[in-house]
Amino acid sequence: MVWPPYEELLSRHGETEGVTLDINADRYRESFEAYSEIGATANDGLHRLALSEADRTVRDRFVDDLEALGLDVRVDEVGNVFGRRDGTDPDAEPVLIGSHLDSQPYGGRFDGQLGVLTALETMRTLVDSDVDHRRPIEIVNWTNEEGSRFKPALMGSGTFVGEFDVEETLAATDADGTTVEEALEEIGYRGTEPCEPREGIHAYLELHVEQGPKLEERDRSIGIVEGIFGMAWLEATIRGESDHAGPSPMHARQDALVAATDVVSGVRRLSNRLANDVVTTVGEFEVSPGSINVIPDKVEFTIDVRSYDDDVVAELVDRVDAELDAACAREGTTYELEELWRIPHTEFAESVREAVLKSAQARDASHVEMVGGAGHDASYLNDITDAGMMFVPSVDGKTHNEAEFTEWDDAIAGARVFADTTRRLAR
Ligand code: HGY
Ligand code: MN
Ligand code: MN
């Protein structure tokens, strides 16, 4: 991506076109490298589970950076962290910008973190250039977007918009039985602010790495996100009979693992039957008792199903149940299926998509409208305000993987469009 000089763009489009902010690319990158040290893995990824010690450290760094900017910092009761810069009109509804700093167990440095640091660079540029904006602008780091340690995903933003009850969120437990409340206390982020909007919100904007191959395939710098897939998270438990691997006749076995593997293959086959955008994933799988010469009597596993069509997601949930029923009938095992989480598909606000489009055009940034398959906090914000997202390319589409990468020129291109769009929304 070769950029026309900023001055030329300004002369060509001028102030009115919103080409008004020039981020400090070195500072942006320095912060990215510094934050990437926190919870860094040996393979350049991140191990920064929600509310872990690494999450505490990165949150402390984030709060320090917000306070250094003179922002009004507050932490709500589920640990969402906000920093506010007033606008010229104290009665105007704010523009919210941000993403998440938690990661997958072996995730990439860009997922979530790039969005938060792009918002931080935008705030820094506003403060540096002493640029006025009518509306207040708030930056946010959402608690537990990933839903890996604590389920469901989008926990902080979902609670903020009222999708999840605060008490339920605080009572959610991880695999060791630690509650969200205990983990928040442990890292010092059990805030006192109510987890809800204090006022109406004018708009929400989030930058995120695409986490897919489309931008790279189309050689575009900016993805203007029309919407996000709907998705459901299920947990299946299959119960059989443990018995000796030797003397037990094969025809008399009730082998929970054999039934479970049938279901895993069946779930995979669903992804090319119902609709061409369907994706299905079994990510967690636990076998008991887990001994070489004992027939497994229990298997617990998760199923993640997604499509842009909510009716297809509903159909997928039914089909998973049918797969379990058939496999257990064959094997003489029993099962339970629990729905952990479901979110309908999202269609982002035209007003925000338009603002991103105008900013991309003003910067001569190549762009394309697209739908995203990964869940994002913006989906819940879209329930209470005009929300929108923009993507920057992921090399080879790789993500939720330590090798996740975005070329720095693409990150800068995204940050410039993001900063301009933020200013445009806050005007
Ligand atoms: O599951 C998701 O799509 C997101 O990474 N939480
Ligand atoms: Mn993310
Ligand atoms: Mn993620």
Side-chain angles (χ1 to χ4, degrees):
M1 182 76 217
V2 177
W3 283 90
Y6 180 61
E7 291 63 32
E8 185 204 318
L9 277 174
L10 211 52
S11 61
R12 196 186 311 171
H13 298 287
E15 184 75 7
T16 51
E17 280 306 308
V19 180
T20 56
L21 294 175
D22 202 19
I23 60 159
N24 178 326
D26 293 341
R27 175 178 61 193
Y28 177 46
R29 181 153 201 177
E30 276 153 30
S31 284
F32 182 81
E33 301 302 343
Y35 277 61
S36 297
E37 290 302 309
I38 304 170
T41 65
N43 304 315
D44 269 348
L46 283 184
H47 179 71
R48 192 195 284 167
L49 292 178
L51 309 182
S52 62
E53 275 309 306
D55 195 13
R56 174 219 296 265
T57 308
V58 77
R59 284 161 169 268
D60 290 350
R61 169 69 189 257
F62 182 61
V63 168
D64 289 349
D65 286 338
L66 300 185
E67 287 172 345
L69 281 178
L71 304 184
D72 167 33
V73 180
R74 67 183 196 282
V75 181
D76 76 16
E77 53 198 325
V78 303
N80 295 317
V81 180
F82 300 85
R84 183 187 184 101
R85 181 171 194 253
D86 283 336
T88 54
D89 175 355
D91 302 325
E93 291 184 342
V95 171
L96 208 49
I97 58 175
S99 191
H100 64 92
L101 288 169
D102 66 305
S103 83
Q104 285 291 337
Y106 293 93
R109 296 175 292 161
F110 296 83
D111 178 354
Q113 178 168 272
L114 190 71
V116 173
L117 294 180
T118 303
L120 178 62
E121 180 49 38
T122 297
M123 288 307 234
R124 284 172 166 166
T125 305
L126 286 167
V127 171
D128 280 356
S129 37
D130 200 18
V131 153
D132 274 343
H133 39 84
R134 188 168 72 82
R135 300 181 176 284
I137 298 176
E138 289 202 357
I139 182 173
V140 59
N141 163 41
W142 298 111
T143 292
N144 185 30
E145 184 279 346
E146 293 291 2
S148 175
R149 178 184 174 193
F150 298 101
K151 293 179 177 64
L154 317 187
M155 185 179 259
S157 54
T159 308
F160 180 76
V161 305
E163 177 66 22
F164 306 132
D165 172 73
V166 170
E167 293 319 311
E168 274 170 27
T169 292
L170 293 172
T173 56
D174 67 6
D176 302 330
T178 304
T179 64
V180 163
E181 183 167 24
E182 288 160 346
L184 283 166
E185 300 280 1
E186 178 67 28
I187 66 167
Y189 279 88
R190 172 90 160 81
T192 51
E193 282 280 320
C195 180
E196 61 190 26
R198 299 190 297 185
E199 66 212 308
I201 296 169
H202 174 66
Y204 174 79
L205 179 66
E206 178 168 357
L207 177 139
H208 205 286
V209 287
E210 179 201 341
Q211 300 182 295
K214 290 183 192 129
L215 287 176
E216 201 174 51
E217 283 165 1
R218 292 169 175 73
D219 191 22
R220 294 287 197 289
S221 291
I222 306 286
I224 301 174
V225 189
E226 292 169 79
I228 301 288
F229 276 26
M231 53 198 83
W233 282 7
L234 309 172
E235 181 161 74
T237 305
I238 295 181
R239 296 186 196 300
E241 279 292 309
S242 61
D243 214 324
H244 199 301
S248 316
M250 291 309 285
H251 67 274
R253 295 185 176 199
Q254 291 157 319
D255 186 328
L257 181 51
V258 167
T261 50
D262 266 6
V263 175
V264 172
S265 315
V267 164
R268 178 59 181 264
R269 281 193 300 274
L270 289 177
S271 66
N272 52 35
R273 230 185 274 157
L274 286 182
N276 60 15
D277 74 348
V278 164
V279 283
T280 62
T281 312
V282 173
E284 296 174 28
F285 196 86
E286 199 175 319
V287 184
S288 309
S291 170
I292 185 167
N293 49 4
V294 176
I295 299 167
D297 66 348
K298 187 168 96 171
V299 176
E300 294 168 292
F301 57 104
T302 59
I303 301 115
D304 173 320
V305 293
R306 307 186 184 202
S307 167
Y308 198 58
D309 182 332
D310 297 332
D311 293 339
V312 168
V313 171
E315 173 68 19
L316 282 164
V317 172
D318 292 343
R319 294 290 188 99
V320 168
D321 192 69
E323 291 288 342
L324 280 156
D325 193 48
C328 289
R330 282 191 297 275
E331 191 59 30
T333 50
T334 61
Y335 75 93
E336 290 140 43
L337 180 63
E338 186 192 352
E339 182 168 310
L340 302 178
W341 176 54
R342 189 179 315 191
I343 181 169
H345 84 288
T346 303
E347 293 181 29
F348 286 127
E350 184 56 37
S351 61
V352 180
R353 284 165 47 185
E354 192 61 30
V356 177
L357 175 64
K358 280 195 184 135
S359 302
Q361 287 166 336
R363 289 274 183 175
D364 294 340
S366 60
H367 52 275
V368 65
E369 293 236 300
M370 61 190 292
V371 165
H376 297 287
D377 294 305
S379 287
Y380 278 139
L381 272 293
N382 201 50
D383 289 351
I384 62 166
T385 184
D386 283 359
M389 294 188 77
M390 50 180 288
F391 287 157
V392 291
S394 295
V395 171
D396 300 334
K398 218 172 257 307
T399 186
H400 282 192
N401 176 316
E402 294 168 290
E404 179 186 86
F405 191 74
T406 292
E407 298 293 349
W408 200 250
D409 282 352
D410 285 332
I412 291 173
R416 286 184 168 137
V417 170
F418 183 90
D420 290 348
T421 308
T422 301
R423 180 105 194 277
R424 192 186 291 274
L425 291 168
R427 244 195 321 233

